[in-house]
């Protein structure tokens, strides 16, 4: 399934016109093809002290290096795009009702805060080295697709090209939030421990009306 998403549909989903589709696609990639968790140096030492098999530790560390390299590539390209656009929202000043200038605050900060406050612990059994090596192959493929997105945009379908810069910026935001979430202190950590945001986003404005329709609330009111 993931090979299909990466090989066949990567550009179509990564550069989709709808930013919500792009966000969920990026989250699926980050949270589901690196099932070992954020296996940094500190956690590698912990696995060594827990007497984990050396081949599993080596494979998991390779996954971490591939993931970190891919996230660096995404974030570096997004930073370059921001400099090209010469956009500095942090320096933008706005005026409140009293006429006083107040610094611009992005809605991203609120969204990030909400996500980090609603995290669910997911555990995946990564005791088989084959599972970890499979994730390594998928991360290599992801790195290749991101590189292609960055260097061969002129060869892409014209329908997706206008969304490349926005997609890379959005992917960088998701990467940064992923890293923050995984580094939140927990009582214990094991190989395969991943923290996943569970906050629900309203996709439609008519969700409340749909709920009333499904429960029959509207019908009861009309009957009365």
């Amino acid at each position: 399934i993931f090979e299909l998403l990466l090989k066949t549909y990567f550009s179509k989903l990564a550069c989709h016109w709808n930013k919500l589709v792009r966000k969920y696609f990026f989250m699926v990639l980050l949270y589901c093809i690196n099932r070992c968790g954020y296996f940094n140096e500190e956690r590698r030492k912990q696995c060594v002290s827990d007497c984990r098999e050396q081949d599993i530790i080596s494979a998991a560390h390779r996954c971490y290096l591939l993931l970190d390299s891919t996230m660096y590539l995404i974030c570096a390209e997004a930073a370059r795009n921001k400099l090209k656009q010469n956009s500095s929202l942090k320096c933008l000043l706005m005026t409140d009702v009293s006429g006083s200038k107040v610094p611009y605050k992005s809605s991203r900060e609120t969204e990030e805060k909400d996500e980090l406050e609603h995290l669910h612990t997911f555990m995946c059994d990564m005791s088989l080295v084959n599972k970890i090596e499979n994730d390594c192959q998928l991360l290599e493929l992801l790195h290749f697709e991101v590189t292609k997105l960055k260097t061969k945009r002129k060869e892409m379908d014209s329908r997706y090209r206008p969304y490349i810069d926005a997609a890379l910026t959005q992917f960088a935001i998701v990467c940064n939030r992923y890293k923050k979430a995984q580094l939140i202190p927990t009582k214990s950590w094991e190989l395969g421990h991943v923290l996943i945001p569970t906050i629900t986003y309203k996709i439609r404005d008519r969700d409340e009306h749909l709920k009333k329709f499904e429960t029959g609330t509207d019908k009861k009111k009309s009957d009365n």
Side-chain angles (χ1 to χ4, degrees):
I1 293 175
F2 286 111
E3 286 192 8
L4 185 66
L5 288 176
L6 287 168
K7 288 182 178 179
T8 308
Y9 296 108
F10 180 81
S11 59
K12 294 179 181 178
L13 292 172
C15 299
H16 196 277
W17 63 269
N18 189 312
K19 64 180 181 181
L20 197 60
V21 172
R22 296 197 303 261
K23 176 181 178 177
Y24 283 136
F25 176 60
F26 296 146
M27 289 181 74
V28 166
L29 292 180
L30 285 179
Y31 287 94
C32 297
I33 67 173
N34 178 47
R35 294 171 292 177
C36 289
Y38 198 67
F39 195 72
N40 56 11
E41 184 64 21
E42 181 182 344
R43 290 171 175 173
R44 187 185 71 81
K45 291 177 180 178
Q46 180 182 329
C47 284
V48 171
S49 64
D50 291 342
C51 300
R52 279 278 189 175
E53 293 84 351
Q54 185 56 46
D55 56 344
I56 290 178
I57 293 173
S58 298
H61 187 61
R62 181 165 172 260
C63 262
Y64 163 73
L65 293 176
L66 285 167
L67 177 69
D68 207 47
S69 173
T70 303
M71 289 198 298
Y72 176 81
L73 177 66
I74 294 165
C75 294
E77 185 63 20
R80 276 193 288 270
N81 291 337
K82 186 175 180 180
L83 287 174
K84 287 179 184 177
Q85 295 167 1
N86 196 25
S87 59
S88 53
L89 293 179
K90 290 182 179 179
C91 299
L92 182 63
L93 294 177
M94 301 179 71
T95 307
D96 61 14
V97 291
S98 64
S100 302
K101 291 183 177 181
V102 294
Y104 172 83
K105 185 177 181 180
S106 172
S107 60
R108 292 175 185 169
E109 296 175 16
T110 304
E111 187 181 89
E112 178 180 306
K113 183 175 180 291
D114 289 340
E115 285 188 9
L116 295 179
E117 287 178 351
H118 296 80
L119 295 172
H120 173 72
T121 301
F122 179 79
M123 282 297 302
C124 183
D125 182 8
M126 298 305 288
S127 57
L128 296 176
V129 70
N130 289 342
K131 290 173 69 174
I132 305 175
E133 289 176 346
N134 181 65
D135 284 4
C136 284
Q137 292 175 3
L138 292 174
L139 285 167
E140 286 177 342
L141 188 55
L142 174 60
H143 192 282
F144 172 76
E145 290 298 335
V146 170
T147 303
K148 192 165 67 171
L149 194 68
K150 171 189 167 186
T151 59
K152 298 186 177 180
R153 60 178 65 199
K154 291 183 179 179
E155 299 176 13
M156 286 182 61
D157 191 311
S158 59
R159 292 175 295 174
Y160 309 125
R161 265 180 269 165
Y163 303 103
I164 293 176
D165 289 341
L168 288 169
T169 298
Q170 191 174 12
F171 205 170
I173 292 168
V174 174
C175 285
N176 287 328
R177 289 181 188 173
Y178 169 86
K179 189 172 181 180
K180 286 182 181 179
Q182 304 319 306
L183 293 178
I184 289 177
T186 55
K187 292 182 180 179
S188 61
W189 186 90
E190 296 179 29
L191 190 66
H193 180 136
V194 181
L195 289 170
I196 302 176
T198 58
I199 190 166
T200 304
Y201 292 85
K202 263 195 171 183
I203 298 176
R204 296 189 297 181
D205 294 332
R206 298 185 178 180
D207 282 351
E208 192 62 33
H209 298 292
L210 179 63
K211 185 177 180 182
K212 290 179 180 178
F213 175 77
E214 289 176 340
T215 57
T217 308
D218 285 347
K219 187 176 185 300
K220 290 177 183 178
K221 286 183 179 179
S222 61
D223 290 343
N224 294 333

